[in-house]
Amino acid sequence: MGAADRRRALALLACTQFVLILDTSIINVAAPSIGASLDISPAALSWVANAYLVSFGGLLLLSGRAADLLGQRRVFVAGLGVLAAASLLGALSESAALLITARAVQGVGAAMAAAAAFALVLTLFEDGPERHRALGVFAAMAGAGGAAGTVLGGVLTSWLGWESTFALNVVAGVALVLPVPRLLPPGTSGGRGKGFDVPGAVAVTAGLGLLAYAVVNAGEAGWSSTPTLATGAAAVVLLAAFVLIERRVAHPLVPLAVLGRPTLRLANILAALWQMSLFPMFFLVSLYLQAVLGYEPVLGGLALLPLCLVVITVASTADRLIGRFGLRAVMGAGFVLVAVGMAWQSLLSAGGSFVADVLPQSLLLGVALPLVSITANVAATLDTREDEAGLASGLVNTSLQFGSVLGLAVLSGIAAARTDASAAAHDVALTEGFSTAFLVGAVPALVALLLTLRLRLPAPDASAPPEASTAAEHRRAVP
């Protein structure tokens, strides 16, 4: 493919990323209307959002490996088709059970599309500045999708009803599938002559799904509740069984040698840590603006647009920053900004304002987000072969998803506990809860900063051809 063809393919894949991230946030705004319309209890209503997160997180790894074995374009199209069909079912749902089922199936489609889209980016763009720019576009679209979900959730629910938030995915899915034959390479199946690790697939999918369920449920029932402990223990057993299976089967779903690569392993931990800090920020800031400052949902979402503009601007320069200062230095600077931004964001006041209490901090975090997200993604995919693109995609996407789920469960739980323990007026108590959550949210960034110092990037291949020198230069660790 020529450079222009790759840019058009990247635009399609980045738009897919935008839609998938948007879908994680748009439902939060529509949830109250859904509950009132279908007479859903608060406990059941939480699973309208959580069912998507559980199936999405549980199937990312399997979807990534399936993309390697069955063909990336094939899994990408199938994922978008499942997402669109499940969204249509959601729009037509008239009961809680049917709606939650639709959300779970949406998560299945999203996992397939997300893993295949990221793998296609790795296949289309070789390591070096070109891939860094492509990952920068992905980061920008992810940030835009997170904020746009809040805005569109309010607009669509207010004007067209909650059903329109599901119908949007039907339209988006069809629009994204139509240009695939023209824009994406057909690809080939990497699984010819190889067996498929069915026991490993079952164990890891069930294990990750139960782990996601345990983390999400902990936010509702508490970390020490029986359902949380039981599902968490079952998840640990299944994941341990998965490791044993991978040691014995001829064609493992995830070769343990891949997990043994120190750069890939540490980069995935760093990816989870930045999500733990920053993903809950969108949710908590939106709540502060609406519940304390009295913003309407639409305005609460629009308030995050300056952050998105900063993300897009900084993401477009990330490749030059990495080329000049090195991957590890840019990553470390990003985590410093995350920690400072979250600590600064904790200085909220019940009588504050958007300009004084949210805007400056969100702009700083907007600078930090692409720095940490792009460098973590680059590091997680440096030491992978082309036939491992789907596996690398599944691993890093799984790390990101579980980081976001864990971060949201922990920080929202901390905010709720601090608010409940306060004897102050309602607005003040809410603000105290949000402030405590933001301060705790700086901790994963500080841990990640320390781990960044231990990151050792793969050395350039001495046998690489001359034309690979630019890419090799960008793989060099900062001394």
Side-chain angles (χ1 to χ4, degrees):
M1 295 179 67
D5 293 330
R6 287 198 300 274
R7 285 195 295 271
R8 285 191 285 269
L10 175 61
L12 173 63
L13 297 172
C15 286
T16 301
Q17 177 79 346
F18 174 88
V19 170
L20 298 179
I21 299 300
L22 178 146
D23 210 36
T24 64
S25 58
I26 194 171
I27 202 69
N28 292 327
V29 181
S33 297
I34 294 173
S37 174
L38 300 183
D39 193 24
I40 302 176
S41 68
L45 187 61
S46 68
W47 283 101
V48 174
N50 294 340
Y52 178 88
L53 297 177
V54 170
S55 58
F56 192 4
L59 286 165
L60 276 166
L61 185 55
L62 177 60
S63 297
R65 198 54 176 155
D68 286 333
L69 298 176
L70 304 177
Q72 294 160 2
R73 193 175 82 172
R74 185 178 302 165
V75 173
F76 177 75
V77 171
L80 288 176
V82 171
L83 178 66
S87 299
L88 180 60
L89 177 63
L92 300 175
S93 296
E94 296 182 351
S95 69
L98 191 58
L99 187 62
I100 292 171
T101 299
R103 284 291 287 170
V105 179
Q106 275 187 316
V108 174
M112 296 168 65
F118 196 90
L120 281 163
V121 171
L122 300 183
T123 301
L124 289 169
F125 299 94
E126 294 184 358
D127 178 41
E130 196 174 22
R131 180 180 289 181
H132 300 168
R133 284 192 290 271
L135 293 176
V137 172
F138 249 52
M141 294 302 277
T150 306
V151 178
L152 286 175
V155 171
L156 292 176
T157 302
S158 299
W159 293 356
L160 301 175
W162 64 265
E163 295 89 349
S164 62
T165 62
F166 287 86
L168 176 65
N169 277 333
V170 180
V171 176
V174 173
L176 291 169
V177 166
L178 289 177
V180 165
R182 183 167 49 89
L183 296 182
L184 297 184
T188 57
S189 172
R192 293 175 182 172
K194 294 184 179 180
F196 189 75
D197 178 17
V198 175
V202 172
V204 73
T205 301
L208 290 174
L210 284 174
L211 182 60
Y213 178 91
V215 172
V216 168
N217 189 66
E220 300 293 328
W223 292 94
S224 60
S225 67
T226 299
T228 300
L229 295 176
T231 52
V236 170
V237 170
L238 284 167
L239 293 176
F242 169 69
V243 173
L244 294 176
I245 292 169
E246 299 308 277
R247 288 178 175 174
R248 297 176 181 274
V249 296
H251 303 290
L253 183 70
V254 181
L256 296 183
V258 173
L259 295 179
R261 298 172 190 171
T263 301
L264 180 146
R265 188 171 60 246
L266 183 53
N268 275 272
I269 294 172
L270 293 169
L273 287 171
W274 83 252
Q275 276 285 75
M276 286 178 65
S277 283
L278 286 177
F279 181 80
M281 181 269 301
F282 288 93
F283 177 70
L284 294 173
V285 166
S286 179
L287 280 182
Y288 168 72
L289 291 171
Q290 295 178 54
V292 177
L293 300 188
Y295 279 48
E296 293 295 324
V298 174
L299 292 178
L302 289 172
L304 295 172
L305 287 183
L307 179 149
C308 294
L309 295 176
V310 172
V311 169
I312 293 170
T313 302
V314 175
S316 67
T317 66
D319 63 306
R320 295 193 292 275
L321 292 173
I322 294 172
R324 180 172 181 179
F325 299 106
L327 186 68
R328 199 172 64 177
V330 174
M331 180 184 289
F335 280 119
V336 169
L337 293 179
V338 172
V340 172
M342 293 296 285
W344 189 8
Q345 190 69 78
S346 72
L347 304 177
L348 298 171
S349 65
S353 68
F354 166 71
V355 173
D357 291 70
V358 174
L359 181 60
Q361 298 90 322
S362 67
L363 295 180
L364 181 64
L365 292 171
V367 174
L369 191 154
L371 298 184
V372 294
S373 64
I374 294 169
T375 52
N377 284 342
V378 169
T381 56
L382 278 177
D383 199 17
T384 55
R385 303 189 306 266
E386 183 174 342
D387 63 337
E388 296 173 339
L391 174 58
S393 166
L395 287 170
V396 72
N397 271 297
T398 298
S399 299
L400 292 169
Q401 184 66 14
F402 275 90
S404 64
V405 170
L406 183 59
L408 185 57
V410 171
L411 295 190
S412 60
I414 288 173
R418 181 68 181 88
T419 297
D420 291 342
S422 176
H426 181 65
D427 287 355
V428 175
L430 283 174
T431 303
E432 290 176 357
F434 296 141
S435 296
T436 304
F438 284 126
L439 190 59
V440 174
V443 174
L446 292 174
V447 173
L449 176 61
L450 296 176
L451 291 177
T452 299
L453 302 177
R454 299 176 57 86
L455 186 66
R456 296 292 181 268
L457 305 185
D461 187 352
S463 63
E467 61 268 20
S469 60
T470 301
E473 189 70 23
H474 282 267
R475 293 163 67 104
R476 186 176 300 148
V478 177

